[in-house]
Amino acid sequence: DPLPDDIALERPANRKHGDWSSNVALATAKKAGKNPRELGQALVDFLTANPPAHVTAVEIAGSTGGLAFRIELPAPATFFEPTGYAVSLQENAGWEVVGQSRPPTAAEFRDLLSLVASVSIVADSSAASDEVVALGPVAVLRPTVRVFLAAGQSNMSGCADSRDLPGVDFSPKTEILFWNQFDDQFGPLETGTSDSSCANSGPEFFYGPEIGFGNAMNAFYPGDEIVIIKYTEGGTSLPFCWVPPDVNDVRPNGGACWQRFRDELDLAFAALDNAGISYQFDGMIWYQGERDGQNETNSGLYEESLLGLIDWARERTAEPALPFVLGRTAVIGAPFIQVVRQAQVDVADADLNACWIDTDDLPLFDGLHIAADEQLTLGQRMARATRNLMPRPSDVNADGLVNAEDLYAWNESPIDLNCDQTADDLDLDLLEAAVRGQ
């Protein structure tokens, strides 16, 4: 915004998270007296080369700063069949700054796209009088915006110190949007957003599983926008602080952590809405339970409270099958921790759209908190489990259908469908039963 006059946007009314389509008018169409908005519906007379011409590049120029970006397109495999091109509007997709022979920075690309002055599709132009070239529909497609929620206590907040891993790139990831609960705004995925339960000294260096999770999701869905909304409070109880209303008798009106989490989500969702971003909810990750393992009452209320939290998250996002992935609390020196761990496993195992992650092999640097390298591992495991749930169980190839194609896909790349931490014959049996059921 603003867009040039020769790009007409129209949002299809029947799309929940809409694609936005447009026709881009070329100067040649204007000279020929054609309506620029009809390029997708009519042939455009075009002076072309012999052999027939093809599109060679796309250029975008901004209204300020003097920058223009150009991306070269490969010649088609054949000149006698329609050729389609998909051009990614990202700085690392092959663009160069015109006149500078270098790729644009992420900041330059964002700045230019916020003030677009022209979009040009460049083609051959030498003439053969009897030739006609048709420019098919040109669509400006917004990426799928995938929103993930993250919540819990200190191990979700993040007691890991990036200075312990000098060889790891912790630079801000501008391609991933992350909600900062302290600034109440979105920014790049980066360290420094942990609460004070761990990060009392040098807080800008601390992180939780969101780093590994976000980077993994970005690799799984490179053409999409990943958004993470995280809210944490260290040293807190699920049944007494995180529980939603009407779940247990000790907090019938909901716990204080839940109320603050709810309010934080409202702010984040409003920020996305006010920016005009269409988005979808693709999952929630949760790590909590150490505090409740220290108390018999808390641990006894854990299972029903966790069920209530999952139900509320799905109701709040209007996604009744929202994937929910939890890290099973590590074995710590708490008398009732096994009660909490069993409740976590029981809840996840009984829910086709939930999964628990084993963390027993992840070292605790102080007997309670997950170490730096292992926080990245935890996030990656949570991302893989969430991804496996996102197409919904048994739709292995994510084409919206459960059929024999999913069997082929599973044999090519086995995945853990029953959330027992292993991709094996039990998962194949589950998949075969689902295919027969269809």
Side-chain angles (χ1 to χ4, degrees):
D1 233 2
L3 291 167
D5 291 337
D6 55 351
I7 296 182
L9 290 179
E10 179 180 344
R11 183 181 185 181
N14 62 344
R15 291 299 299 274
K16 180 179 179 182
H17 310 296
D19 291 336
W20 293 70
S21 61
S22 70
N23 290 326
V24 180
L26 302 180
T28 50
K30 291 180 177 178
K31 290 178 181 178
K34 301 288 185 180
N35 184 342
R37 300 173 190 272
E38 295 178 355
L39 275 179
Q41 300 146 21
L43 296 180
V44 178
D45 292 337
F46 212 113
L47 298 178
T48 66
N50 193 2
H54 68 280
V55 174
T56 60
V58 176
E59 290 187 1
I60 304 176
S63 58
T64 62
L67 283 180
F69 304 150
R70 180 183 177 97
I71 187 169
E72 301 289 336
L73 302 179
T78 172
F79 288 102
F80 304 104
E81 297 289 340
T83 300
Y85 293 99
V87 178
S88 176
L89 297 179
Q90 295 182 341
E91 73 278 1
N92 56 2
W95 296 88
E96 282 196 353
V97 179
V98 173
Q100 299 187 31
S101 299
R102 65 171 179 86
T105 66
E108 288 174 334
F109 214 96
R110 287 198 306 274
D111 290 345
L112 183 140
L113 290 181
S114 69
L115 293 169
V116 174
S118 65
V119 179
S120 302
I121 298 176
V122 183
D124 294 340
S125 58
S126 57
S129 60
D130 60 345
E131 293 177 346
V132 175
V133 170
L135 178 65
V138 177
V140 179
L141 302 177
R142 291 191 173 186
T144 298
V145 180
R146 302 182 181 276
V147 177
F148 300 92
L149 312 184
Q153 58 181 111
S154 56
N155 272 314
M156 177 59 75
S157 171
C159 296
D161 190 334
S162 62
R163 291 170 292 188
D164 293 338
L165 299 174
V168 176
D169 178 16
F170 285 103
S171 61
K173 302 300 188 296
T174 57
E175 64 271 26
I176 303 171
L177 281 180
F178 183 76
W179 179 258
N180 189 320
Q181 70 184 72
F182 306 108
D183 295 338
D184 290 340
Q185 63 182 4
F186 282 106
L189 180 67
E190 59 185 338
T191 62
T193 59
S194 299
D195 65 51
S196 60
S197 60
C198 293
N200 291 315
S201 176
E204 67 273 20
F205 297 106
F206 285 79
Y207 63 94
E210 70 279 352
I211 300 293
F213 180 90
N215 288 333
M217 278 300 176
N218 191 54
F220 290 150
Y221 302 100
D224 297 343
E225 182 77 39
I226 305 301
V227 179
I228 302 172
I229 302 171
K230 187 177 91 164
Y231 181 79
T232 63
E233 292 193 33
T236 52
S237 162
L238 169 57
F240 284 81
C241 199
W242 287 94
V243 68
D246 302 320
V247 172
N248 64 36
D249 293 334
V250 297
R251 291 290 185 270
N253 296 319
C257 298
W258 168 79
Q259 293 172 11
R260 290 187 284 268
F261 181 38
R262 173 202 61 192
D263 294 345
E264 206 68 28
L265 291 183
D266 289 345
L267 289 173
F269 297 165
L272 293 173
D273 293 337
N274 292 337
I277 297 175
S278 298
Y279 54 92
Q280 64 188 49
F281 297 104
D282 274 339
M284 177 172 172
I285 56 175
W286 170 260
Y287 198 107
Q288 186 276 341
E290 297 91 343
R291 176 70 175 271
D292 293 318
Q294 299 172 2
N295 182 282
E296 183 175 9
T297 299
N298 293 35
S299 61
L301 293 170
Y302 197 91
E303 182 169 340
E304 67 176 5
S305 302
L306 182 58
L307 287 169
L309 179 66
I310 296 172
D311 288 344
W312 175 80
R314 289 171 174 167
E315 179 182 355
R316 179 62 186 86
T317 59
E319 291 289 350
L322 181 77
F324 188 95
V325 172
L326 63 89
R328 186 179 66 172
T329 306
V331 178
I332 61 173
F336 301 98
I337 195 64
Q338 291 297 349
V339 178
V340 170
R341 283 161 54 90
Q342 190 61 50
Q344 292 170 336
V345 171
D346 290 345
V347 169
D349 284 351
D351 187 333
L352 286 177
N353 296 295
C355 185
W356 62 275
I357 300 299
D358 189 11
T359 65
D360 289 353
D361 62 330
L362 303 182
L364 308 176
F365 67 85
D366 59 358
L368 183 63
H369 296 113
I370 298 172
D373 195 27
E374 285 70 25
Q375 270 286 18
L376 297 176
T377 300
L378 174 61
Q380 292 162 0
R381 289 180 182 178
M382 287 181 154
R384 285 194 296 270
T386 304
R387 184 199 186 196
N388 289 348
L389 293 174
M390 283 166 58
R392 304 302 178 251
S394 303
D395 182 12
V396 177
N397 62 359
D399 65 354
L401 302 172
V402 177
N403 54 28
E405 296 298 325
D406 295 297
L407 292 170
Y408 297 130
W410 193 94
N411 279 296
E412 288 291 324
S413 181
I415 63 175
D416 176 20
L417 292 174
N418 63 359
C419 198
D420 65 356
Q421 319 305 309
T422 305
D424 55 19
D425 287 346
L426 294 176
D427 299 292
L428 185 57
D429 291 342
L430 181 68
L431 178 57
E432 288 177 347
V435 172
R436 291 192 186 99
Q438 292 295 316

